[in-house]
């Protein structure tokens, strides 16, 4: 368990470099400036928006996905003694989310030509990745709640719930407001007028908050999920 945790800690450090470090470098070279509160992450890997450094940002995201893969196995193995189905859902959902994230880096963000019959294939993959990761995190929360105070520390559930429910609520509300403004502009006008200068209106803000939330989720999984032997005996370490 010590070796496994040490390996996961190394992967967390690599994720900090490949995601936050590489994307921060790409954002610093972004034409006309990049404001994370208002711009989505896809702008950094877009040849149209970031023609000089989009490959650097895409490579950073691909490496991040590869570094995240072992955490799917860690969730499945660590949570299985508490709830086997929930643990398997968490592991599989994380794998699918990571695969969609990596595939999304090879699809140029554009809306003109359809890819595989899908007009906005990049956005489809991005939303699929976010959706699968959210399912994995929610499944992990359910397992942590089921084993809270017995096989798992209570702090694990509260940390996971905080970094899962709050960003997910923000993303859902943001997407709902965007859809409302598209199909019912009259009804959404007062909301848009009130929030148009707020970062809470912009999807980019919630994307970055969600990225930090996933990282904190993985940190909690690394340090708070006890060894499998402790889970079987109901011991919280």
């Amino acid at each position: 368990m010590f070796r496994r945790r040490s390996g996961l800690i190394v992967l967390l450090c690599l994720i900090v470099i490949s995601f936050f470090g590489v994307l921060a470098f790409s954002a610093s070279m972004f034409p006309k400036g990049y404001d994370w509160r208002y711009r989505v992450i896809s702008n950094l890997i877009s040849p149209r928006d970031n023609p000089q450094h989009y490959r650097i940002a895409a490579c950073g995201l691909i490496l991040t996905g590869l570094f995240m893969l072992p955490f799917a196995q860690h969730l499945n193995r660590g949570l299985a003694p508490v709830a086997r189905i929930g643990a398997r859902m968490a592991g599989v959902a994380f794998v699918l989310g990571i695969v969609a994230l990596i595939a999304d880096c090879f699809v140029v963000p554009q809306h003109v030509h359809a890819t595989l019959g899908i007009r906005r294939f990049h956005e489809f993959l991005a939303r699929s990745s976010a959706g699968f990761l959210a399912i994995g995190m929610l499944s992990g929360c359910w397992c942590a709640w089921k084993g809270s105070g017995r096989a798992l520390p209570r702090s694990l559930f509260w940390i996971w719930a905080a970094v899962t429910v709050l960003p997910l609520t923000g993303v859902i509300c943001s997407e709902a407001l965007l859809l409302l403004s598209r199909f019912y502009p009259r009804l959404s006008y007062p909301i848009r007028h009130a929030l148009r200068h707020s970062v809470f209106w912009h999807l980019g803000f919630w994307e970055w908050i969600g990225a930090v939330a996933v990282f904190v989720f993985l940190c909690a999984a690394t340090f708070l999920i006890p060894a499998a032997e402790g889970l079987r005996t109901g011991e919280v370490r």
Side-chain angles (χ1 to χ4, degrees):
M1 181 61 186
F2 177 77
R3 291 182 180 178
R4 190 190 318 150
R5 180 169 293 174
S6 299
L8 294 177
I9 293 174
V10 172
L11 290 175
L12 288 175
C13 295
L14 292 175
I15 289 173
V16 171
I17 297 173
S18 64
F19 185 83
F20 297 102
V22 172
L23 294 190
F25 170 77
S26 182
S28 68
M29 307 298 291
F30 193 80
K32 298 181 180 179
Y34 181 90
D35 193 333
W36 68 273
R37 298 171 298 174
Y38 304 104
R39 286 190 174 271
V40 295
I41 298 176
S42 295
N43 291 151
L44 294 175
I45 64 174
S46 170
R48 179 189 62 188
D49 299 323
N50 192 19
Q52 299 298 324
H53 302 93
Y54 74 93
R55 291 187 180 90
I56 296 177
C59 290
L61 286 177
I62 292 171
L63 289 174
T64 299
L66 295 176
F67 294 148
M68 288 173 60
L69 280 173
F71 289 93
Q73 182 184 17
H74 175 65
L75 290 172
N76 186 20
R77 180 184 299 175
L79 299 176
V82 176
R84 188 171 300 275
I85 296 178
R88 184 167 300 177
M89 287 181 59
V92 172
F94 257 85
V95 170
L96 293 176
I98 292 168
V99 170
L101 173 66
I102 295 175
D104 198 35
C105 297
F106 295 96
V107 180
V108 177
Q110 50 84 25
H111 312 306
V112 179
H113 305 290
T115 304
L116 299 178
I118 302 176
R119 184 69 177 273
R120 298 172 179 263
F121 194 54
H122 176 83
E123 286 77 4
F124 171 76
L125 287 175
R127 285 172 168 79
S128 298
S129 176
F132 282 124
L133 291 177
I135 292 173
M137 294 170 71
L138 289 172
S139 300
C141 289
W142 181 74
C143 294
W145 172 78
K146 187 174 181 181
S148 179
R150 295 180 287 107
L152 295 171
R154 290 188 176 89
S155 57
L156 179 66
F157 168 74
W158 291 113
I159 293 174
W160 277 3
V163 300
T164 301
V165 176
L166 294 180
L168 189 59
T169 301
V171 170
I172 292 175
C173 291
S174 178
E175 288 288 319
L177 290 175
L178 289 175
L179 291 175
L180 185 65
S181 64
R182 180 177 301 177
F183 296 104
Y184 302 99
R186 291 185 179 181
L187 294 177
S188 64
Y189 178 78
I191 302 176
R192 292 180 61 187
H193 182 73
L195 297 177
R196 63 181 178 178
H197 299 301
S198 172
V199 296
F200 299 109
W201 173 260
H202 297 274
L203 181 61
F205 172 79
W206 292 110
E207 278 190 354
W208 284 102
I209 294 297
V212 174
V214 172
F215 180 75
V216 175
F217 185 94
L218 297 180
C219 289
T222 300
F223 292 103
L224 296 180
I225 293 181
E229 291 79 7
L231 284 173
R232 292 190 187 97
T233 59
E235 178 188 355
V236 178
R237 298 183 181 180

